[in-house]
Amino acid sequence: MSDKSEPTLIQGHEYDGIQEYDNPTPGWWHLVFLVSILFSFFYFIMSFGSPFFVGPYEQLAAAQEAEYARMFAGIGELENDEHTILTLMDNEKWVAIASGTFRGNCVSCHGAEGGGQVGPNLCDDSYKNVRTVTDIYEVITNGAANGAMPAWGNRFSHNELVLLASYVASLRGTSPAGTIRGPEGDAIPAWPDVRADAPPAGAGGQ
Ligand code: HEC
């Protein structure tokens, strides 16, 4: 029912007596729309181009660093030497931390308790790449067999690598239930007995 005063506003569609009226979106709506587009542009620049923006990855890295600093505050920089590796094995707190790292990263190849799976059994007396207890750290850090054993040097802090090496050394002589692989490589002499010589490494970190 177009009348003369509004000749163009009625669109001419009619359904069940309801007609379509040309009702433009209000000006404030357009304004909000445009402002949100402009805002997204600045937000994008701020998020990805701004030195002041701290993303979730940076936050995670910073938190991890602070956590390492807290964890290792008592022991300083650990050395990869016989005495450190072998006495850390007796420190329940550090063994717990290292076994968590092992469970999270190594069990897929070395078995739940180190009994071997894709990678060799770490619980027996035979090793492919290890002759002395300090070699363990080198294998973990640099990997072996062209990456079949991945290099973990970039994944963990130096102290974590030493703790992992100590944990792996402590697996020797255990007999895990799910042992899959027999001895590989050469049998090597027992770890030296250094425990009586001096106080355990990491004792200050209790
Ligand atoms: C992708 C599978 C894989 C993962 C994950 C893995 N390893 Fe290995 N690892 C291997 C293989 C395969 C070898 C044997 C390399 C060779 O044949 O020389 C090996 C060897 C080793 C050795 C030397 C054993 C020997 O007999 O010489 C140590 C120690 C070791 N791994 C520790 C670790 C630790 C600690 C982790 C976790 C941080 C880990 N591995 C994670 C596959 C893996």
Side-chain angles (χ1 to χ4, degrees):
M1 56 161 223
S2 53
D3 71 32
K4 277 183 204 144
S5 61
E6 305 182 335
T8 56
L9 294 181
I10 297 292
Q11 298 296 292
H13 305 137
E14 181 182 333
Y15 300 97
D16 295 339
I18 300 171
Q19 290 178 303
E20 186 183 341
Y21 183 75
D22 182 15
N23 199 10
T25 38
W28 64 262
W29 192 95
H30 284 272
L31 195 68
V32 169
F33 184 59
L34 287 173
V35 166
S36 65
I37 290 175
L38 280 177
F39 177 76
S40 70
F41 178 73
F42 286 111
Y43 191 81
F44 184 85
I45 301 287
M46 276 306 288
S47 299
F48 296 101
S50 159
F52 304 111
F53 176 78
V54 184
Y57 294 109
E58 288 86 348
Q59 284 176 10
L60 178 67
Q64 183 122 59
E65 219 165 88
E67 177 60 12
Y68 286 153
R70 195 189 63 76
M71 266 166 55
F72 295 121
I75 51 172
E77 185 93 330
L78 294 169
E79 294 295 328
N80 175 34
D81 58 41
E82 273 179 2
H83 176 260
T84 305
I85 299 278
L86 293 171
T87 56
L88 277 173
M89 278 162 51
D90 297 332
N91 187 315
E92 269 177 38
K93 179 175 123 187
W94 296 120
V95 169
I97 291 174
S99 90
T101 315
F102 188 84
R103 262 183 281 122
N105 298 280
C106 318
V107 296
S108 53
C109 292
H110 288 286
E113 293 163 61
Q117 201 155 328
V118 180
N121 186 334
L122 299 174
C123 303
D124 56 24
D125 289 327
S126 297
Y127 294 85
K128 293 165 99 173
N129 306 280
V130 175
R131 293 295 163 264
T132 67
V133 73
T134 52
D135 292 343
I136 300 173
Y137 172 94
E138 307 297 336
V139 178
I140 300 173
T141 305
N142 303 319
N146 290 323
M149 162 64 185
W152 299 88
N154 294 331
R155 296 276 302 276
F156 297 118
S157 70
H158 169 77
N159 275 5
E160 276 185 304
L161 291 164
V162 174
L163 287 179
L164 262 177
S166 170
Y167 181 74
V168 168
S170 79
L171 292 174
R172 183 175 185 185
T174 61
S175 6
T179 298
I180 295 180
R181 291 174 78 116
E184 288 163 271
D186 306 316
I188 61 172
W191 305 139
D193 188 8
V194 298
R195 290 182 170 94
D197 300 353
Q206 294 287 350

